């Protein structure tokens, strides 16, 4: 701790603990001990330690368990806004992705899906719904529509890898996407599915992906747990 810094001690401590969680020095399940032990070990006041811990509890990085103490949970997934799949991003971050296929069928395109894919309303499309998990915990509910017959969509393959990998393996060259990010409160059904209370904040994303010929090959409508997931933006000043 730099006691001469204008940065509050609690914030310095929370930043150091967050960095240790992100780089794996504090693994999921690790116990920090109680506030009195931490304060004594670090030479800080108990209110300072309590404030630092609470800030990380609020971020979903720590959890207080009665009779156990303060425990590290899995770090928040920070995903860059680029044309990549959630599966690949989780794998690159060491998050051990897994997939549970909830639905794999064909259906008729409604007005929204038809407009996104550039097809006639009522045309047949593939519909895939998946629950994406990391370390056994749900992170996102993914709902994707694809033009019918675009590629084989076997449930076993969808549970083994990401949709974009399957598309590339089928010879589809992903080129660009149009994407919108938002937020809203979880419904009771979403809360149960994502292990969040009803009304918990969720991040939303809608994406239409195009191949190198300009054809729309996928329309995704996804929701993510805000406690476990964030989008990262890189902003540049125009010259």
């Amino acid at each position: 701790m730099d006691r001469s810094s204008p940065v509050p001690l609690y914030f310095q401590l929370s930043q150091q603990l967050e960095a240790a969680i992100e780089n794996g020095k504090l693994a999921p399940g690790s116990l920090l001990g109680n506030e009195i032990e931490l304060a004594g070990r670090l030479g800080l006041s108990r209110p300072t330690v309590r404030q630092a811990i609470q800030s990380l509890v609020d971020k979903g990085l720590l959890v207080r368990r009665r009779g156990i103490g303060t425990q590290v949970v899995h770090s928040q997934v920070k995903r860059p806004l680029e044309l990549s799949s959630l599966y690949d991003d989780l794998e690159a971050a060491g998050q051990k992705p897994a997939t549970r296929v909830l639905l794999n069928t064909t259906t008729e395109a409604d007005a929204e899906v038809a407009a996104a894919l550039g097809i006639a309303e009522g045309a047949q499309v593939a519909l895939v719904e998946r629950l994406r998990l990391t370390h056994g915990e749900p992170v996102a509910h993914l709902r994707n529509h694809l033009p019918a017959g675009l590629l084989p969509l076997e449930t076993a393959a969808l549970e083994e890898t990401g949709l974009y990998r399957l598309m590339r393996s089928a010879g589809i060259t992903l080129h660009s996407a149009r994407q919108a990010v938002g937020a809203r409160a979880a419904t009771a059904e979403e809360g149960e599915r994502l292990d969040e209370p009803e009304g918990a904040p969720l991040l939303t994303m809608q994406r239409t992906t195009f191949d190198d010929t300009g054809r729309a090959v996928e329309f995704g409508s996804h929701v993510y747990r805000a406690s476990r997931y964030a989008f990262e933006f890189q902003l540049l000043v125009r010259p």
Side-chain angles (χ1 to χ4, degrees):
M1 299 296 115
D2 183 358
R3 297 179 184 274
S4 64
S5 171
V7 178
L9 290 176
Y10 89 87
F11 188 77
Q12 292 185 47
L13 176 57
S14 69
Q15 289 293 95
Q16 291 185 21
L17 289 173
E18 183 171 354
I21 293 170
E22 294 289 347
N23 63 32
K25 290 182 179 179
L26 283 174
S30 300
L31 291 173
L32 294 186
N34 61 43
E35 293 171 2
I36 297 175
E37 292 171 349
L38 280 174
R41 192 161 72 240
L42 298 173
L44 298 171
S45 69
R46 187 176 178 185
T48 295
V49 172
R50 182 185 303 117
Q51 193 170 3
I53 288 175
Q54 185 60 50
S55 70
L56 297 182
V57 169
D58 293 341
K59 287 185 176 183
L61 300 178
L62 298 176
V63 63
R64 289 188 172 98
R65 301 192 187 280
R66 187 181 300 275
I68 297 177
T70 303
Q71 193 171 30
V72 177
V73 294
H74 304 302
S75 59
Q76 188 181 53
V77 178
K78 295 181 179 179
R79 184 181 185 185
L81 276 179
E82 58 186 39
L83 186 51
S84 60
S85 74
L86 175 58
Y87 189 95
D88 291 341
D89 290 337
L90 292 173
E91 193 171 65
Q95 293 285 336
K96 298 180 180 179
T99 304
R100 186 181 306 154
V101 175
L102 306 177
L103 187 64
N104 183 8
T105 188
T106 58
T107 187
E108 293 183 356
D110 62 18
E112 181 182 36
V113 172
L117 295 179
I119 59 177
E121 187 174 349
Q124 289 292 299
V125 290
L127 169 60
V128 176
E129 287 194 32
R130 295 161 295 158
L131 192 65
R132 185 58 45 77
L133 306 97
T134 62
H135 303 281
E137 293 184 4
V139 174
H141 176 247
L142 315 175
R143 181 180 173 89
N144 297 83
H145 289 87
L146 299 89
L150 182 69
L151 76 160
L153 291 171
E154 301 293 336
T155 296
L158 288 165
E159 290 184 339
E160 284 296 321
T161 189
L163 179 59
Y164 281 7
R165 286 190 187 179
L166 292 177
M167 295 172 76
R168 293 187 181 101
S169 297
I172 299 167
T173 302
L174 303 178
H175 178 265
S176 61
R178 184 172 60 245
Q179 179 168 287
V181 176
R184 59 175 173 78
T187 65
E189 181 181 2
E190 288 169 334
E192 183 176 359
R193 181 184 292 133
L194 294 171
D195 196 22
E196 292 279 0
E198 182 179 359
L202 298 178
L203 295 173
T204 65
M205 183 186 76
Q206 284 195 333
R207 174 190 283 181
T208 304
T209 305
F210 303 89
D211 67 8
D212 55 349
T213 70
R215 173 183 57 165
V217 293
E218 174 247 353
F219 173 60
S221 183
H222 305 164
V223 292
Y224 306 83
R225 296 173 65 183
S227 63
R228 295 279 291 109
Y229 195 87
F231 290 105
E232 286 193 334
F233 298 78
Q234 182 178 15
L235 306 178
L236 301 176
V237 176
R238 290 186 181 274

